């Protein structure tokens, strides 16, 4: 196995139990949204590179709210990692794993959370030095039972499940011994963001921030 490439991501996402996964359509909404979530107690956030506004959104939060740790999600290619790093992202999350992407992040000094959904993918990522992995798409890929089953052969691997996690099922995921934190978009529904419903978003964040590891 290569040296541990997950040290820094473990430290970062280990600071939270819930990672908001954000899709931002309008960069002007990024700052108030990040502030609303931080007011609710969530200071570590992921902005997915799924919209044209994503990189400007990251840059806007980095410039205005230095106490918030912003990462880039949906990082699929080395160029995405480079652009995210340039925008000021502090970590990168991918739905999958490739060495090209892992190496690009390592060269940039960008902590990287690769995604897996099967035992073979865990083995490949582990072989490349990653021991903290995103489990995606969590609910569709077997959910709680699958994650629990992966703890048998891979007791040293910790996961951040995302994809179909919500307020109702998050506690059961966090109760698993191999779950470091859970991620998801339920904390910041697109409609609430579009409407600029910041008080509601703070409330959702505060409820999520109360969730604890171990159930
Ligand atoms: C991700 O990229 O992690 C997922 O799209 C988040 O999934 P969710 O929208 O089902 O929470």
């Amino acid at each position: 196995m290569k040296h541990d490439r997950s040290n820094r991501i473990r430290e970062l996402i280990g600071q939270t139990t819930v990672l908001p996964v954000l899709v931002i359509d309008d960069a002007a909404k990024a700052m108030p949204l990040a502030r609303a979530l931080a007011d609710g107690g969530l200071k570590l956030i992921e902005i997915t590179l799924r919209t044209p506004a994503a990189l400007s959104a990251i840059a806007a939060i980095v410039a205005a709210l230095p106490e918030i740790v912003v990462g880039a999600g949906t990082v699929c290619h080395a160029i995405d990692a480079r652009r995210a790093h340039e925008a000021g992202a502090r970590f990168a999350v991918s739905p999958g794993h490739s060495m090209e992407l892992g190496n690009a992040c390592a060269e940039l000094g960008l902590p990287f959370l690769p995604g897996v959904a099967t035992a073979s993918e865990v083995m490949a990522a582990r072989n490349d030095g990653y021991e903290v992995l995103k489990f995606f798409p969590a609910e569709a890929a077997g959910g709680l039972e699958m994650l629990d089953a992966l703890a048998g052969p891979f007791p040293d691997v910790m996961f951040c499940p995302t994809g179909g996690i919500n307020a109702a099922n998050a506690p059961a995921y966090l109760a698993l011994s191999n779950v470091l934190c859970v991620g998801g978009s339920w904390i910041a529904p697109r409609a609430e963001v579009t409407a600029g419903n910041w008080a509601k978003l703070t409330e959702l964040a505060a409820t999520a921030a109360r969730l604890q590891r171990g159930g």
Side-chain angles (χ1 to χ4, degrees), residues 5-213:
R5 280 189 164 191
S6 290
N7 266 339
R8 292 176 57 220
I9 198 80
R10 187 184 292 106
E11 239 171 68
L12 272 180
I13 65 173
Q15 292 168 18
T16 194
T17 48
V18 176
L19 177 63
V21 175
L22 309 177
V23 182
I24 296 186
D25 295 308
D26 173 5
K29 295 258 163 55
M31 213 176 66
L33 170 59
R35 192 180 286 130
L37 299 178
D39 286 349
L42 299 179
K43 295 198 166 77
L44 195 108
I45 60 178
E46 172 190 329
I47 296 184
T48 58
L49 303 186
R50 291 183 202 171
T51 60
L55 290 168
S56 324
I58 292 172
I61 296 167
V62 169
L65 304 167
E67 71 278 16
I68 292 177
V69 179
V70 193
T74 323
V75 175
C76 297
H77 305 283
I79 184 75
D80 299 333
R82 284 195 278 275
R83 288 187 179 136
H85 181 253
E86 256 169 47
R90 301 260 302 274
F91 62 96
V93 182
S94 180
H97 171 59
S98 74
M99 253 328 244
E100 182 220 7
L101 190 50
N103 287 339
C105 289
E107 276 159 30
L108 293 163
L110 196 58
F112 178 48
L113 181 68
V116 298
T118 67
S120 293
E121 290 166 13
V122 173
M123 285 165 64
R126 211 154 144 257
N127 197 47
D128 291 340
Y130 299 94
E131 295 191 345
V132 179
L133 306 171
K134 165 168 159 141
F135 177 56
F136 176 82
E139 283 287 283
L144 292 163
E145 279 184 45
M146 175 69 168
L147 264 179
D148 200 27
L150 290 171
F154 310 116
D156 48 342
V157 177
M158 294 299 285
F159 294 93
C160 172
T162 83
I165 314 283
N166 53 45
N169 63 15
Y173 277 95
L174 284 165
L176 295 177
S177 62
N178 58 349
V179 169
L180 191 56
C181 69
V182 296
S185 60
W186 89 91
I187 308 130
R190 231 164 160 161
E192 304 290 358
V193 178
T194 305
N197 220 340
W198 310 128
K200 170 77 184 166
L201 288 155
T202 296
E203 202 181 297
L204 283 166
T207 304
R210 281 195 287 274
L211 292 169
Q212 294 187 353
R213 247 169 248 124

